[in-house]
Amino acid sequence: MSELRWNPLLKTWTMVASNRQARPNMPKDWCPFCPGSGRVPEHYDVLKYDNDFPALKLNPDKPDVEGSDLYRVAENYGKCEVILYSPEHTKTLPELSVEHIYKLVNLWTERFRELSKDEKIKYIFEFENRGEEVGVTMPHPHGQLYAYPFVPLKLKVELDSCKEYYFEKGKCMICQMNEEETDFKERIIYENDSFIAYIPFLLTIPTVFL
């Protein structure tokens, strides 16, 4: 069972999912995400697979605990999906062809648009975990998609900061950050016609010459 629990200090919800403790470690001689397992199609390039142990559900659970005025609880409404990158068990994302990655991006886009139609969904997060240390039990190449019924705290703070900056300065904060990084150049990791990636200013260690 799972539920959302309200953190009154941070004014945000936390997902508590006791059902995820029952997730199995994958047997060495079998993988549910490989063709032939009976769990996925015999032939696929990329695939959306509903998570077997979701923290969020379109048919939510009844909360395990009873809340109060201070410690509120709510149903775990939302959606958790597994996005399979490839039918090949040992293929990693960097090893996929550009054409294959294009199919993967199209699937992300398709799922984002479909889940966005639900007015109860407030934020959609596409991500990938790697390694047993962070709870990965299935090594088959995959990522995940979580559709939240709320905007996570860090994202909400960033959005509120951008709105405040715009009303004060009349400028888009993200646009100005991109312009300053483009002019400075030294923190840019990669840039093309569509994207720019750079090290955040706050994480940059200044060079000291003695």
Side-chain angles (χ1 to χ4, degrees), residues 62-180:
K62 181 180 179 181
D64 279 338
V65 298
E66 185 175 346
S68 66
D69 288 340
L70 178 63
Y71 296 128
R72 289 183 284 155
V73 296
E75 293 182 335
N76 59 326
Y77 186 87
K79 189 77 186 294
C80 294
E81 298 178 349
V82 176
I83 304 298
L84 301 181
Y85 297 166
S86 167
E88 297 183 54
H89 185 73
T90 59
K91 202 83 164 181
T92 62
L93 182 59
E95 295 173 326
L96 298 175
S97 67
V98 173
E99 293 78 12
H100 196 111
I101 293 176
Y102 183 74
K103 294 178 182 179
L104 178 59
V105 173
N106 283 340
L107 178 57
W108 283 332
T109 304
E110 174 191 318
R111 296 310 303 150
F112 190 97
R113 288 174 176 168
E114 184 63 28
L115 292 166
S116 295
K117 295 176 183 178
D118 188 335
E119 294 183 354
K120 294 182 181 180
I121 299 300
K122 304 302 180 184
Y123 180 73
I124 299 172
F125 182 34
E126 297 156 342
F127 64 97
E128 178 182 355
N129 288 332
R130 288 196 182 189
E132 295 181 6
E133 294 80 4
V134 294
V136 176
T137 58
M138 299 293 177
H140 191 105
H142 71 282
Q144 301 196 55
L145 186 153
Y146 275 33
Y148 291 70
F150 61 94
V151 179
L153 179 61
K154 182 178 180 180
L155 275 298
K156 185 179 184 302
V157 170
E158 291 179 349
L159 289 171
D160 290 344
S161 296
C162 287
K163 290 178 183 178
E164 182 179 333
Y165 189 85
Y166 181 80
F167 287 126
E168 288 182 357
K169 307 289 186 179
K171 298 179 181 179
C172 165
M173 180 189 290
I174 302 299
C175 297
Q176 187 160 353
M177 289 170 62
N178 291 344
E179 290 173 4
E180 291 204 14

Side-chain angles (χ1 to χ4, degrees), residues 173-190:
M173 180 189 290
I174 302 299
C175 297
Q176 187 160 353
M177 289 170 62
N178 291 344
E179 290 173 4
E180 291 204 14
E181 295 299 341
T182 299
D183 292 339
F184 187 66
K185 294 184 175 58
E186 294 184 22
R187 287 186 289 266
I188 294 177
I189 299 172
Y190 182 77

Side-chain angles (χ1 to χ4, degrees), residues 31-44 47-49 84:
C31 172
F33 299 153
C34 286
S37 68
R39 305 289 293 276
V40 297
E42 288 297 310
H43 303 284
Y44 72 88
L47 183 71
K48 182 273 292 185
Y49 180 94
L84 301 181

Side-chain angles (χ1 to χ4, degrees), residues 4-59:
L4 303 180
R5 298 187 187 182
W6 179 251
N7 184 328
L9 289 172
L10 296 179
K11 295 183 178 180
T12 190
W13 293 99
T14 297
M15 290 182 287
V16 178
S18 59
N19 65 320
R20 291 185 60 77
Q21 295 181 21
R23 290 177 303 154
N25 286 311
M26 192 188 73
K28 295 181 179 180
D29 58 349
W30 183 79
C31 172
F33 299 153
C34 286
S37 68
R39 305 289 293 276
V40 297
E42 288 297 310
H43 303 284
Y44 72 88
D45 292 322
V46 294
L47 183 71
K48 182 273 292 185
Y49 180 94
D50 288 343
N51 197 311
D52 291 323
F53 299 90
L56 301 168
K57 301 179 180 180
L58 294 180
N59 297 309

